[in-house]
Amino acid sequence: MTAPTFCDRLVQDAPFLTERGRLSEQQVDSIVLQLNRYHPQVLSDREAEKFRNPQTSLRVRLCDLLSHLQRSSEQDCREFYRALCLHAQPLHSRLPSRHALQNSDCTELDSGMERHELSDRGPMSFLACLGVAAGLAVLLYCCPPDPKVLPGARRVLGFSPVILQRHVSRYLLAFLADDPGGP
């Protein structure tokens, strides 16, 4: 089973998008301007003026825009979804086609590949470990060879193998053993 195209998704999402109160006039204008001004240019200047005409009701303009995009290429529909995500993120996440994709077996992003997670501790744990490792690296590589300059650092590193795992402690003990004039 193949994933639905962006044009198919637009047909499915059109009734949801055209319901009263879903998109504000400012959001529709922003989407039309993005489709008109940014590369690839989906709408010509004349079409953009037509879809931004304040004398026409918002619902009529939105229906015209969606029907115009449905007759366009797949790339144009993709750009519409990109603009919708950019200017109306909460609405984009509630689209019926997105829920259908999440509930089906075939999604665009996950094509049967398993998600591998190294740790369940989160990004803050990773950043904390990275900070400790960077601090130790700076201490090891930037510390002057003169032991009188930083005498407390050698004592701290002497106790750290007790806390750290075996493979890290080897490097720290080697650093302490390289000290020719140690305390």
Side-chain angles (χ1 to χ4, degrees), residues 142-149 154 175 178-181:
C142 296
C143 186
D146 186 15
K148 294 178 184 175
V149 174
R154 300 238 181 244
F175 176 73
D178 288 343
D179 183 24

Side-chain angles (χ1 to χ4, degrees), residues 56-127:
T56 310
S57 75
L58 178 63
R59 190 164 193 269
V60 170
R61 288 187 285 151
L62 187 58
C63 288
D64 290 345
L65 174 65
L66 295 177
S67 63
H68 173 78
L69 290 171
Q70 289 170 4
R71 292 187 305 268
S72 299
S73 68
E74 177 72 13
Q75 180 67 26
D76 293 351
C77 293
R78 179 188 309 249
E79 289 302 317
F80 170 76
Y81 276 102
R82 196 168 124 213
L84 183 67
C85 181
L86 197 72
H87 298 289
Q89 175 62 39
L91 182 69
H92 182 264
S93 63
R94 294 191 323 256
L95 289 173
S97 63
R98 286 187 51 92
H99 290 294
L101 282 175
Q102 290 171 353
N103 294 337
S104 69
D105 291 333
C106 59
T107 63
E108 293 175 22
L109 298 177
D110 186 17
S111 59
M113 296 171 45
E114 294 180 18
R115 182 175 176 205
H116 299 287
E117 194 170 309
L118 297 177
S119 174
D120 59 349
R121 294 187 181 124
M124 291 307 292
S125 173
F126 169 75
L127 291 175

Side-chain angles (χ1 to χ4, degrees), residues 152-163:
R154 300 238 181 244
R155 289 190 190 112
V156 170
L157 289 175
F159 289 110
S160 59
V162 174
I163 301 168

